[in-house]
Amino acid sequence: MGLNSVGEVVMNVDTGISLCMIVKDEAGPLQRCLNAVRDVVDEIIVVDTGSVDDTIEIARRHGAIVIRTEWNGDFSEARNLSLAAATKPWILVLDADEVWIQTSQMKAELMQLLAASRDDVWGYWIQVTSLLGVSGEERVTDAVCRLFRNDPRIAFQGRIHEEIASSIVALAPQGVLHSGLEVIHYGYLEQVITTKNKGARNMQLIRSALNQEGDQPELLYALAAEWFQQAKYDEALRLLHPLLAQLTPECGYHSDLVLKTAYAWRESGSPERALAVVEAWAPVYEDFPDLLELGAVLELDQGREDVALDWLKQARSAASTANRYTSVSGAGTYRSLTLEGMAYDRAGRWAEAEAAYTAALGMQPGSVAAWQRLLLLAAATGRPHAIASAAARGSLPPAAWQVLIAAALAAHRPEWLLRHAAALATPLRAQPLAAGLALAQLGEDAAAWAALQPWAAHAQHGPEAALALWALGRKQPGGRNARAAARPAAALPAAAHAAEALLQRGATPGSNASARGCGSPSGGSPACGPPAPGGVLAAAQALASVGAWAAWLRLLQALLPRGALALLAALPPAARCGLLRAPASVREGLLALCGTPDGAQQPHADEVPAPERTAPERTAHALLAGTLALLAGRQNLAREWAGSAQLTARQPAATGRPATVIPPGLQTLLRLTTPGAASAKEYTNQCNMLLVHL
């Protein structure tokens, strides 16, 4: 194939393409894959390693030459069998769960590349975009050599995670060039991974290869990558760390090795070692935005916002080269902008944070992370115009408006729903309880009851509606209004029954857990009991959603203290925004639940802390209490809690090593409790944001 004098794609002998594939039981995706390349390739070679479904029949319907072979656990051997059968000058390699981007522009670029290829060009890097999550809400791109000349010296290597670039580079060190070609990979979607049990399969293949071939670096890295994928970072580091010391950038996966090693150190609780890895290799990979972004994240972990912004500036300048690496979608573009917004958030630079989030949404209107951060900023700092500004700059997808509804209700900002009523008309139909909850938050309880009641018997929304109706009944000063009292007890949801039992127990004189002396968060005394059960958490969320704050506080007071604090810790950021709309007496009541700073202090290093409460749990407790004290205007108490949090944060971890990094929230609390901090501009908003992002 090539181009004629008027730029049309035509066939010629020199640019014919053989599609080479290996398959097994791929009847589902194979049809889609072959349909996408039928006008691109000239022959199809399919090596089948034991299909028992309709895979072979589908391949033959598309004119494929099918070669059957037994599977022996070696991907390269099967791949090379398909290459040996190819007869065209160029070879394209695809998997059944991949789809060639089928556009006229892509086809024209392919033909131009092949027609104009110099003799010293042996192959091309193709961007493989892997969809992640449930439906591809996140993506990872990788540059892989999938298009190359048909030459017997070019062959795949590696029993698993096989690759062909090494054999090309051995022939011509500069023989593989970058292209604008792209393939979409569906094999990393959650359902596909679960169905095929890829993790277990890969582990078995890698261990078998290690037994046969010894500790080859490629196999050790493949094993480390599987541990990494399973979030078993300690296991991964046992392999990644020595490999990083051994290998050089010339190996094809070195940049990914660097990124995984740094990330694993961070997740294993060694951010300083993670940062050392990033700083050591950033000069080599100055055009790798994912690595530069990780540098920013590590600086944010340590409260160095200005340094993080420098890393992000470099990441954004490297956006155009992301496709040369294994890169997550948005690296160097909207993801970097979202991180910029977070850095400005931490520094109290609200206007710049708003601008960064808005710019991120301008690049990717579907960026849920940027949208959620912008909504929290708007709620906590009183910037509702930020939402309208972001909506005006780009066409927000339906999912973004759904997020707005949930955030507005959790943050007790029903006015947002009124302000954006036109855009929310369709999304609100998918959340039929939203109108009733918004009315309750506006104080229109009778109208809220009328809006929620019809949904109480609905198959899908009935349980949530019934719980909201129960919460409305608890909103009245007497505890239960006439409608709620008339509701049969059997009709109450299980969560409401559990909450009612606690509320009644809490109303009994002397029954409150704090009154029984369990209010101290000290790690030196036995824990008072387990965290709150899930049903009580659901009931608490229902009470908060309708603005039944007095009952919500009574429910927490009726819990054992550890359960109450666990419930508070489980609140999502938007719900903590809602706490800012609660009466001040409610936040004072929460502060009382936290006990006293003296009881929260950590024992000396030679004392053995009780196993029930870890140092991070005590730090989080003190951080929450200090923030609540700030919001109550009690600076001295907040300062005491900040000191307690600082002490426990430095407590040796399970490894026996003292913590070297103070959590960013604690750094903010320490800053806000310094003398004179309360007179600073935006002090109140900084306290609000601290509560939201604890």
Side-chain angles (χ1 to χ4, degrees), residues 366-406:
S367 174
V368 173
W371 187 228
Q372 287 178 328
R373 297 287 306 200
L374 181 63
L375 294 174
L376 294 173
L377 176 67
T381 65
R383 309 174 74 87
H385 64 276
I387 302 171
S389 174
R393 286 192 57 174
S395 179
L396 293 175
W401 291 112
Q402 296 281 7
V403 170
L404 171 61
I405 295 171

mmCIF file of all heavy atoms in Angstrom, residues 366-406:
data_model
loop_
_atom_site.group_PDB
_atom_site.id
_atom_site.type_symbol
_atom_site.label_atom_id
_atom_site.label_comp_id
_atom_site.label_asym_id
_atom_site.label_seq_id
_atom_site.Cartn_x
_atom_site.Cartn_y
_atom_site.Cartn_z
ATOM 1 N N GLY A 366 -14.120 15.559 31.792
ATOM 2 C CA GLY A 366 -14.519 14.386 32.565
ATOM 3 C C GLY A 366 -13.587 14.055 33.708
ATOM 4 O O GLY A 366 -13.727 12.987 34.314
ATOM 5 N N SER A 367 -12.641 14.935 34.031
ATOM 6 C CA SER A 367 -11.704 14.668 35.127
ATOM 7 C C SER A 367 -12.429 14.791 36.459
ATOM 8 O O SER A 367 -12.628 15.890 36.983
ATOM 9 C CB SER A 367 -10.524 15.645 35.076
ATOM 10 O OG SER A 367 -9.690 15.468 36.205
ATOM 11 N N VAL A 368 -12.795 13.655 37.023
ATOM 12 C CA VAL A 368 -13.549 13.659 38.283
ATOM 13 C C VAL A 368 -12.698 14.230 39.415
ATOM 14 O O VAL A 368 -13.205 14.968 40.270
ATOM 15 C CB VAL A 368 -14.017 12.232 38.621
ATOM 16 C CG1 VAL A 368 -14.648 12.180 40.005
ATOM 17 C CG2 VAL A 368 -15.016 11.739 37.581
ATOM 18 N N ALA A 369 -11.391 13.933 39.423
ATOM 19 C CA ALA A 369 -10.529 14.424 40.497
ATOM 20 C C ALA A 369 -10.499 15.943 40.524
ATOM 21 O O ALA A 369 -10.650 16.568 41.584
ATOM 22 C CB ALA A 369 -9.117 13.863 40.334
ATOM 23 N N ALA A 370 -10.317 16.569 39.358
ATOM 24 C CA ALA A 370 -10.270 18.039 39.298
ATOM 25 C C ALA A 370 -11.614 18.637 39.685
ATOM 26 O O ALA A 370 -11.686 19.648 40.399
ATOM 27 C CB ALA A 370 -9.868 18.486 37.902
ATOM 28 N N TRP A 371 -12.687 18.023 39.223
ATOM 29 C CA TRP A 371 -14.031 18.527 39.500
ATOM 30 C C TRP A 371 -14.343 18.428 40.993
ATOM 31 O O TRP A 371 -14.850 19.377 41.600
ATOM 32 C CB TRP A 371 -15.022 17.733 38.664
ATOM 33 C CG TRP A 371 -16.451 18.169 38.661
ATOM 34 C CD1 TRP A 371 -17.532 17.364 38.835
ATOM 35 C CD2 TRP A 371 -16.988 19.473 38.431
ATOM 36 N NE1 TRP A 371 -18.704 18.082 38.739
ATOM 37 C CE2 TRP A 371 -18.399 19.386 38.484
ATOM 38 C CE3 TRP A 371 -16.411 20.722 38.182
ATOM 39 C CZ2 TRP A 371 -19.242 20.481 38.323
ATOM 40 C CZ3 TRP A 371 -17.252 21.823 38.007
ATOM 41 C CH2 TRP A 371 -18.639 21.696 38.076
ATOM 42 N N GLN A 372 -14.024 17.308 41.603
ATOM 43 C CA GLN A 372 -14.297 17.143 43.035
ATOM 44 C C GLN A 372 -13.488 18.127 43.865
ATOM 45 O O GLN A 372 -13.998 18.715 44.825
ATOM 46 C CB GLN A 372 -13.994 15.703 43.462
ATOM 47 C CG GLN A 372 -15.016 14.700 42.966
ATOM 48 C CD GLN A 372 -14.681 13.276 43.361
ATOM 49 O OE1 GLN A 372 -13.516 12.912 43.472
ATOM 50 N NE2 GLN A 372 -15.700 12.454 43.559
ATOM 51 N N ARG A 373 -12.231 18.326 43.518
ATOM 52 C CA ARG A 373 -11.415 19.284 44.268
ATOM 53 C C ARG A 373 -11.957 20.701 44.115
ATOM 54 O O ARG A 373 -11.965 21.481 45.077
ATOM 55 C CB ARG A 373 -9.961 19.221 43.794
ATOM 56 C CG ARG A 373 -9.245 17.913 44.013
ATOM 57 C CD ARG A 373 -8.864 17.605 45.419
ATOM 58 N NE ARG A 373 -8.095 18.625 46.082
ATOM 59 C CZ ARG A 373 -7.342 18.391 47.158
ATOM 60 N NH1 ARG A 373 -7.265 17.157 47.665
ATOM 61 N NH2 ARG A 373 -6.683 19.371 47.750
ATOM 62 N N LEU A 374 -12.422 21.039 42.921
ATOM 63 C CA LEU A 374 -12.984 22.367 42.710
ATOM 64 C C LEU A 374 -14.263 22.551 43.524
ATOM 65 O O LEU A 374 -14.493 23.616 44.114
ATOM 66 C CB LEU A 374 -13.263 22.586 41.223
ATOM 67 C CG LEU A 374 -13.828 23.966 40.844
ATOM 68 C CD1 LEU A 374 -12.828 25.066 41.186
ATOM 69 C CD2 LEU A 374 -14.185 24.015 39.365
ATOM 70 N N LEU A 375 -15.094 21.525 43.575
ATOM 71 C CA LEU A 375 -16.335 21.603 44.350
ATOM 72 C C LEU A 375 -16.035 21.774 45.838
ATOM 73 O O LEU A 375 -16.695 22.568 46.526
ATOM 74 C CB LEU A 375 -17.177 20.343 44.117
ATOM 75 C CG LEU A 375 -17.731 20.153 42.703
ATOM 76 C CD1 LEU A 375 -18.423 18.797 42.585
ATOM 77 C CD2 LEU A 375 -18.696 21.262 42.332
ATOM 78 N N LEU A 376 -15.047 21.051 46.346
ATOM 79 C CA LEU A 376 -14.685 21.190 47.758
ATOM 80 C C LEU A 376 -14.137 22.581 48.048
ATOM 81 O O LEU A 376 -14.438 23.182 49.090
ATOM 82 C CB LEU A 376 -13.653 20.130 48.138
ATOM 83 C CG LEU A 376 -14.132 18.678 48.101
ATOM 84 C CD1 LEU A 376 -12.965 17.731 48.321
ATOM 85 C CD2 LEU A 376 -15.209 18.430 49.141
ATOM 86 N N LEU A 377 -13.315 23.095 47.131
ATOM 87 C CA LEU A 377 -12.792 24.452 47.288
ATOM 88 C C LEU A 377 -13.924 25.469 47.318
ATOM 89 O O LEU A 377 -13.944 26.380 48.159
ATOM 90 C CB LEU A 377 -11.829 24.761 46.141
ATOM 91 C CG LEU A 377 -11.257 26.178 46.089
ATOM 92 C CD1 LEU A 377 -10.342 26.426 47.279
ATOM 93 C CD2 LEU A 377 -10.495 26.401 44.786
ATOM 94 N N ALA A 378 -14.884 25.299 46.407
ATOM 95 C CA ALA A 378 -16.016 26.223 46.346
ATOM 96 C C ALA A 378 -16.836 26.179 47.631
ATOM 97 O O ALA A 378 -17.277 27.212 48.138
ATOM 98 C CB ALA A 378 -16.894 25.888 45.143
ATOM 99 N N ALA A 379 -17.026 24.975 48.173
ATOM 100 C CA ALA A 379 -17.848 24.832 49.377
ATOM 101 C C ALA A 379 -17.143 25.363 50.615
ATOM 102 O O ALA A 379 -17.758 26.030 51.456
ATOM 103 C CB ALA A 379 -18.217 23.360 49.580
ATOM 104 N N ALA A 380 -15.856 25.076 50.746
ATOM 105 C CA ALA A 380 -15.148 25.415 51.981
ATOM 106 C C ALA A 380 -14.706 26.869 52.042
ATOM 107 O O ALA A 380 -14.508 27.406 53.138
ATOM 108 C CB ALA A 380 -13.935 24.505 52.146
ATOM 109 N N THR A 381 -14.539 27.514 50.884
ATOM 110 C CA THR A 381 -14.022 28.889 50.885
ATOM 111 C C THR A 381 -15.020 29.892 50.321
ATOM 112 O O THR A 381 -14.658 31.052 50.107
ATOM 113 C CB THR A 381 -12.705 28.977 50.082
ATOM 114 O OG1 THR A 381 -12.967 28.682 48.699
ATOM 115 C CG2 THR A 381 -11.673 28.009 50.627
ATOM 116 N N GLY A 382 -16.259 29.439 50.082
ATOM 117 C CA GLY A 382 -17.283 30.370 49.619
ATOM 118 C C GLY A 382 -17.025 30.921 48.233
ATOM 119 O O GLY A 382 -17.070 32.144 48.025
ATOM 120 N N ARG A 383 -16.753 30.038 47.274
ATOM 121 C CA ARG A 383 -16.476 30.472 45.900
ATOM 122 C C ARG A 383 -17.426 29.767 44.929
ATOM 123 O O ARG A 383 -16.986 29.047 44.028
ATOM 124 C CB ARG A 383 -15.023 30.170 45.529
ATOM 125 C CG ARG A 383 -13.998 30.655 46.524
ATOM 126 C CD ARG A 383 -12.593 30.193 46.174
ATOM 127 N NE ARG A 383 -12.047 30.918 45.034
ATOM 128 C CZ ARG A 383 -11.402 32.066 45.139
ATOM 129 N NH1 ARG A 383 -11.240 32.633 46.329
ATOM 130 N NH2 ARG A 383 -10.925 32.657 44.069
ATOM 131 N N PRO A 384 -18.745 29.947 45.070
ATOM 132 C CA PRO A 384 -19.678 29.237 44.189
ATOM 133 C C PRO A 384 -19.534 29.609 42.720
ATOM 134 O O PRO A 384 -19.888 28.825 41.841
ATOM 135 C CB PRO A 384 -21.051 29.641 44.736
ATOM 136 C CG PRO A 384 -20.814 30.931 45.438
ATOM 137 C CD PRO A 384 -19.443 30.830 46.017
ATOM 138 N N HIS A 385 -18.997 30.809 42.459
ATOM 139 C CA HIS A 385 -18.817 31.211 41.067
ATOM 140 C C HIS A 385 -17.834 30.293 40.334
ATOM 141 O O HIS A 385 -17.849 30.211 39.104
ATOM 142 C CB HIS A 385 -18.298 32.649 41.003
ATOM 143 C CG HIS A 385 -16.942 32.809 41.616
ATOM 144 N ND1 HIS A 385 -16.762 32.996 42.976
ATOM 145 C CD2 HIS A 385 -15.694 32.763 41.067
ATOM 146 C CE1 HIS A 385 -15.462 33.082 43.224
ATOM 147 N NE2 HIS A 385 -14.792 32.940 42.097
ATOM 148 N N ALA A 386 -16.964 29.614 41.086
ATOM 149 C CA ALA A 386 -15.981 28.733 40.461
ATOM 150 C C ALA A 386 -16.656 27.611 39.679
ATOM 151 O O ALA A 386 -16.167 27.190 38.627
ATOM 152 C CB ALA A 386 -15.053 28.148 41.522
ATOM 153 N N ILE A 387 -17.786 27.145 40.184
ATOM 154 C CA ILE A 387 -18.495 26.056 39.510
ATOM 155 C C ILE A 387 -19.048 26.543 38.175
ATOM 156 O O ILE A 387 -18.900 25.891 37.138
ATOM 157 C CB ILE A 387 -19.623 25.521 40.408
ATOM 158 C CG1 ILE A 387 -19.045 25.039 41.737
ATOM 159 C CG2 ILE A 387 -20.386 24.404 39.718
ATOM 160 C CD1 ILE A 387 -20.090 24.700 42.764
ATOM 161 N N ALA A 388 -19.705 27.717 38.215
ATOM 162 C CA ALA A 388 -20.266 28.269 36.981
ATOM 163 C C ALA A 388 -19.167 28.554 35.974
ATOM 164 O O ALA A 388 -19.337 28.330 34.764
ATOM 165 C CB ALA A 388 -21.053 29.539 37.299
ATOM 166 N N SER A 389 -18.013 29.032 36.449
ATOM 167 C CA SER A 389 -16.902 29.341 35.550
ATOM 168 C C SER A 389 -16.392 28.092 34.849
ATOM 169 O O SER A 389 -16.152 28.087 33.641
ATOM 170 C CB SER A 389 -15.770 29.999 36.342
ATOM 171 O OG SER A 389 -14.633 30.195 35.533
ATOM 172 N N ALA A 390 -16.238 27.007 35.617
ATOM 173 C CA ALA A 390 -15.755 25.763 35.024
ATOM 174 C C ALA A 390 -16.768 25.199 34.039
ATOM 175 O O ALA A 390 -16.411 24.696 32.964
ATOM 176 C CB ALA A 390 -15.462 24.738 36.111
ATOM 177 N N ALA A 391 -18.054 25.282 34.387
ATOM 178 C CA ALA A 391 -19.095 24.763 33.501
ATOM 179 C C ALA A 391 -19.167 25.559 32.211
ATOM 180 O O ALA A 391 -19.461 25.013 31.140
ATOM 181 C CB ALA A 391 -20.441 24.797 34.216
ATOM 182 N N ALA A 392 -18.878 26.856 32.298
ATOM 183 C CA ALA A 392 -18.966 27.706 31.110
ATOM 184 C C ALA A 392 -17.802 27.481 30.156
ATOM 185 O O ALA A 392 -17.944 27.668 28.944
ATOM 186 C CB ALA A 392 -19.015 29.172 31.535
ATOM 187 N N ARG A 393 -16.653 27.042 30.697
ATOM 188 C CA ARG A 393 -15.457 26.900 29.858
ATOM 189 C C ARG A 393 -15.478 25.640 29.008
ATOM 190 O O ARG A 393 -14.810 25.564 27.982
ATOM 191 C CB ARG A 393 -14.207 26.883 30.726
ATOM 192 C CG ARG A 393 -13.844 28.237 31.288
ATOM 193 C CD ARG A 393 -12.459 28.231 31.880
ATOM 194 N NE ARG A 393 -11.441 27.818 30.923
ATOM 195 C CZ ARG A 393 -10.131 27.847 31.186
ATOM 196 N NH1 ARG A 393 -9.708 28.260 32.356
ATOM 197 N NH2 ARG A 393 -9.260 27.451 30.291
ATOM 198 N N GLY A 394 -16.221 24.638 29.432
ATOM 199 C CA GLY A 394 -16.253 23.390 28.666
ATOM 200 C C GLY A 394 -17.568 22.679 28.855
ATOM 201 O O GLY A 394 -18.334 22.995 29.761
ATOM 202 N N SER A 395 -17.819 21.742 27.982
ATOM 203 C CA SER A 395 -19.062 20.969 28.062
ATOM 204 C C SER A 395 -18.860 19.818 29.040
ATOM 205 O O SER A 395 -18.247 18.801 28.708
ATOM 206 C CB SER A 395 -19.441 20.433 26.679
ATOM 207 O OG SER A 395 -20.615 19.675 26.755
ATOM 208 N N LEU A 396 -19.350 19.992 30.266
ATOM 209 C CA LEU A 396 -19.182 18.950 31.281
ATOM 210 C C LEU A 396 -20.029 17.727 30.932
ATOM 211 O O LEU A 396 -21.197 17.870 30.574
ATOM 212 C CB LEU A 396 -19.582 19.482 32.651
ATOM 213 C CG LEU A 396 -18.692 20.587 33.233
ATOM 214 C CD1 LEU A 396 -19.284 21.099 34.540
ATOM 215 C CD2 LEU A 396 -17.280 20.090 33.462
ATOM 216 N N PRO A 397 -19.478 16.531 31.040
ATOM 217 C CA PRO A 397 -20.247 15.317 30.742
ATOM 218 C C PRO A 397 -21.265 15.048 31.838
ATOM 219 O O PRO A 397 -21.170 15.585 32.951
ATOM 220 C CB PRO A 397 -19.172 14.227 30.705
ATOM 221 C CG PRO A 397 -18.088 14.736 31.595
ATOM 222 C CD PRO A 397 -18.089 16.229 31.425
ATOM 223 N N PRO A 398 -22.267 14.189 31.562
ATOM 224 C CA PRO A 398 -23.288 13.877 32.581
ATOM 225 C C PRO A 398 -22.694 13.395 33.900
ATOM 226 O O PRO A 398 -23.202 13.729 34.964
ATOM 227 C CB PRO A 398 -24.122 12.784 31.901
ATOM 228 C CG PRO A 398 -23.959 13.043 30.431
ATOM 229 C CD PRO A 398 -22.561 13.542 30.276
ATOM 230 N N ALA A 399 -21.613 12.624 33.835
ATOM 231 C CA ALA A 399 -21.009 12.110 35.067
ATOM 232 C C ALA A 399 -20.555 13.248 35.980
ATOM 233 O O ALA A 399 -20.626 13.145 37.209
ATOM 234 C CB ALA A 399 -19.832 11.198 34.743
ATOM 235 N N ALA A 400 -20.076 14.351 35.397
ATOM 236 C CA ALA A 400 -19.624 15.486 36.205
ATOM 237 C C ALA A 400 -20.794 16.128 36.935
ATOM 238 O O ALA A 400 -20.675 16.537 38.095
ATOM 239 C CB ALA A 400 -18.917 16.508 35.328
ATOM 240 N N TRP A 401 -21.941 16.227 36.271
ATOM 241 C CA TRP A 401 -23.117 16.806 36.926
ATOM 242 C C TRP A 401 -23.639 15.874 38.014
ATOM 243 O O TRP A 401 -24.152 16.337 39.041
ATOM 244 C CB TRP A 401 -24.205 17.103 35.887
ATOM 245 C CG TRP A 401 -23.833 18.235 34.963
ATOM 246 C CD1 TRP A 401 -23.568 18.154 33.634
ATOM 247 C CD2 TRP A 401 -23.659 19.612 35.326
ATOM 248 N NE1 TRP A 401 -23.244 19.389 33.125
ATOM 249 C CE2 TRP A 401 -23.297 20.316 34.147
ATOM 250 C CE3 TRP A 401 -23.769 20.330 36.515
ATOM 251 C CZ2 TRP A 401 -23.056 21.678 34.134
ATOM 252 C CZ3 TRP A 401 -23.525 21.693 36.505
ATOM 253 C CH2 TRP A 401 -23.176 22.359 35.333
ATOM 254 N N GLN A 402 -23.505 14.563 37.801
ATOM 255 C CA GLN A 402 -23.885 13.623 38.856
ATOM 256 C C GLN A 402 -23.007 13.832 40.093
ATOM 257 O O GLN A 402 -23.492 13.791 41.235
ATOM 258 C CB GLN A 402 -23.746 12.177 38.356
ATOM 259 C CG GLN A 402 -24.680 11.793 37.217
ATOM 260 C CD GLN A 402 -26.091 11.488 37.703
ATOM 261 O OE1 GLN A 402 -26.416 11.679 38.862
ATOM 262 N NE2 GLN A 402 -26.934 11.030 36.794
ATOM 263 N N VAL A 403 -21.719 14.063 39.867
ATOM 264 C CA VAL A 403 -20.808 14.334 40.980
ATOM 265 C C VAL A 403 -21.215 15.615 41.699
ATOM 266 O O VAL A 403 -21.162 15.699 42.931
ATOM 267 C CB VAL A 403 -19.354 14.431 40.460
ATOM 268 C CG1 VAL A 403 -18.421 14.956 41.551
ATOM 269 C CG2 VAL A 403 -18.868 13.062 39.980
ATOM 270 N N LEU A 404 -21.636 16.625 40.927
ATOM 271 C CA LEU A 404 -22.067 17.888 41.533
ATOM 272 C C LEU A 404 -23.262 17.671 42.456
ATOM 273 O O LEU A 404 -23.312 18.233 43.562
ATOM 274 C CB LEU A 404 -22.422 18.900 40.446
ATOM 275 C CG LEU A 404 -23.097 20.200 40.930
ATOM 276 C CD1 LEU A 404 -22.184 20.957 41.875
ATOM 277 C CD2 LEU A 404 -23.511 21.067 39.768
ATOM 278 N N ILE A 405 -24.217 16.871 42.031
ATOM 279 C CA ILE A 405 -25.404 16.616 42.861
ATOM 280 C C ILE A 405 -24.989 15.988 44.186
ATOM 281 O O ILE A 405 -25.392 16.438 45.266
ATOM 282 C CB ILE A 405 -26.395 15.708 42.116
ATOM 283 C CG1 ILE A 405 -26.947 16.418 40.872
ATOM 284 C CG2 ILE A 405 -27.550 15.299 43.033
ATOM 285 C CD1 ILE A 405 -27.768 15.514 39.962
ATOM 286 N N ALA A 406 -24.175 14.934 44.107
ATOM 287 C CA ALA A 406 -23.740 14.247 45.327
ATOM 288 C C ALA A 406 -22.947 15.184 46.231
ATOM 289 O O ALA A 406 -23.142 15.205 47.456
ATOM 290 C CB ALA A 406 -22.906 13.025 44.960
#
